[in-house]
Amino acid sequence: MSDKPEKLITDDGLRLDGRHADEIRPMKIEIGVLSRADGSCYLEWGRNKVLVGVFGPREAHPRRSQRADTAVIRYKYNMASFSVEDRARPGPSRRSIEISKVSREAFEPVIMAELFPKTAIDIFVEVLQADAGTRTAAINASSIALADAGIPMKGLVTSCAFGKVDGQIVLDLNKEEDNHGEADFPVAMTQDGEITLLQMDGNLTPDEIRKGFELVKKGCKEILEIQQAVLRKKFETPVEEPEAEV
Ligand code: UDP
């Protein structure tokens, strides 16, 4: 017997967690949480919890992995065994290798790696609690951690998924929607709207994809504002108001 709820979207258009179709889950970000990393970020998005540490640019080891003209970017996505309902098997899996690859590629267009030949920039992602959308959560957190590490970038990368649930296109699927929905479509983009990650699980018509992209653009804009606010809070030095003359 399926544990699918009768309806994932109620008659008044609300999702089971109370969101409208175009709403993202609440996001909370902390920056600089790991003292041994060059940059770090802890991010909660709905029930997802991810921790990212960035190290580098530092001399790449083994030496044969070095490139004379650029830094190598390495991205490691890992799920803690306690992060999911059924224990996740420790160590790399096909899924984590795939997520690491596509997430690294999502950053390659923005990181100015050519400034740091022979070095490595390491991005380590630990998923502490998973509730669908961990790859997008990790990309949003990695963007902040890279900025925290002072890695020169052309801009931030922002990520969000859309999907199809009960025949409707909705933004940022939670686990229940991901499990019982018809499609999941994670996207990452630069500040200029260049797409750097695009994946699809399920079936969607061209019209549904167009509609989903409108939602994703809105979601990414909101996330970018959150990311920028967190970075401003940490790095912007308050301008001292000159004392008024009496
Ligand atoms: N999941 C799980 N066990 C696994 C992998 C995934 O329970 O081994 C859950 C987890 O909650 C994850 C969700 O399934 O967030 C969706 O996984 P997917 O592969 O679509 O990646 P994500 O949406 O997290 O980027």
Side-chain angles (χ1 to χ4, degrees), residues 48 77 79 84 95 99 130-136 175 178 184:
N48 288 307
Y77 166 103
M79 258 188 159
V84 292
R95 176 178 173 276
I99 293 178
D131 194 62
T134 58
R135 78 194 66 199
T136 51
K175 181 79 168 79
D178 184 271
D184 181 27

Side-chain angles (χ1 to χ4, degrees), residues 2-238:
S2 157
D3 57 350
K4 182 182 186 299
E6 200 183 323
K7 280 181 183 173
L8 289 161
I9 300 183
T10 60
D11 293 337
D12 47 7
L14 291 180
R15 296 151 74 178
L16 294 185
D17 58 11
R19 283 182 293 156
H20 289 102
D22 65 347
E23 277 182 88
I24 57 169
R25 290 171 282 183
M27 188 179 282
K28 199 178 103 185
I29 299 179
E30 266 182 72
I31 185 168
V33 289
L34 299 173
S35 56
R36 282 194 205 99
D38 294 307
S40 57
C41 177
Y42 170 72
L43 182 145
E44 290 184 4
W45 193 3
R47 286 196 292 256
N48 288 307
K49 298 183 180 187
V50 302
L51 183 62
V52 177
V54 167
F55 296 80
R58 58 185 179 182
E59 194 179 348
H61 289 289
R63 287 192 125 191
R64 66 186 141 76
S65 69
Q66 292 182 357
R67 286 186 52 188
D69 56 341
T70 182
V72 286
I73 301 164
R74 300 186 291 212
Y75 191 107
K76 190 161 177 255
Y77 166 103
N78 183 54
M79 258 188 159
S81 54
F82 52 80
S83 64
V84 292
E85 212 170 302
D86 303 320
R87 173 177 178 274
R89 200 170 158 196
S93 61
R94 282 174 69 102
R95 176 178 173 276
S96 69
I97 292 167
E98 172 216 309
I99 293 178
S100 299
K101 176 187 182 286
V102 295
S103 306
R104 171 174 50 76
E105 289 169 353
F107 283 99
E108 278 173 349
V110 297
I111 296 178
M112 296 162 83
E114 65 285 358
L115 299 178
F116 307 102
K118 296 189 178 174
T119 69
I121 296 169
D122 284 298
I123 305 159
F124 292 104
V125 170
E126 295 294 328
V127 177
L128 307 176
Q129 189 170 291
D131 194 62
T134 58
R135 78 194 66 199
T136 51
I139 289 172
N140 291 324
S142 298
S143 220
I144 302 278
L146 283 160
D148 185 36
I151 309 279
M153 291 191 286
K154 292 175 191 152
L156 296 170
V157 176
T158 305
S159 184
C160 189
F162 72 87
K164 189 172 165 184
V165 171
D166 281 357
Q168 284 195 47
I169 299 300
V170 300
L171 192 58
D172 181 28
L173 271 58
N174 65 25
K175 181 79 168 79
E176 208 164 23
E177 295 171 333
D178 184 271
N179 278 1
H180 305 296
E182 293 100 76
D184 181 27
F185 199 118
V187 176
M189 61 177 75
T190 65
Q191 279 178 233
D192 305 328
E194 187 193 337
I195 304 298
T196 63
L197 174 139
L198 192 148
Q199 297 186 285
M200 180 164 112
D201 185 13
N203 293 317
L204 292 164
T205 66
D207 261 354
E208 287 170 337
I209 293 176
R210 263 188 286 277
K211 193 169 172 201
F213 258 95
E214 289 312 310
L215 292 187
V216 152
K217 276 193 233 159
K218 174 183 174 287
C220 283
K221 188 164 170 276
E222 287 170 24
I223 295 163
L224 179 63
E225 281 164 14
I226 299 171
Q227 290 172 313
Q228 287 174 330
V230 171
L231 288 166
R232 259 193 221 108
K233 194 165 165 222
K234 170 144 189 204
F235 292 110
E236 222 169 49
T237 31

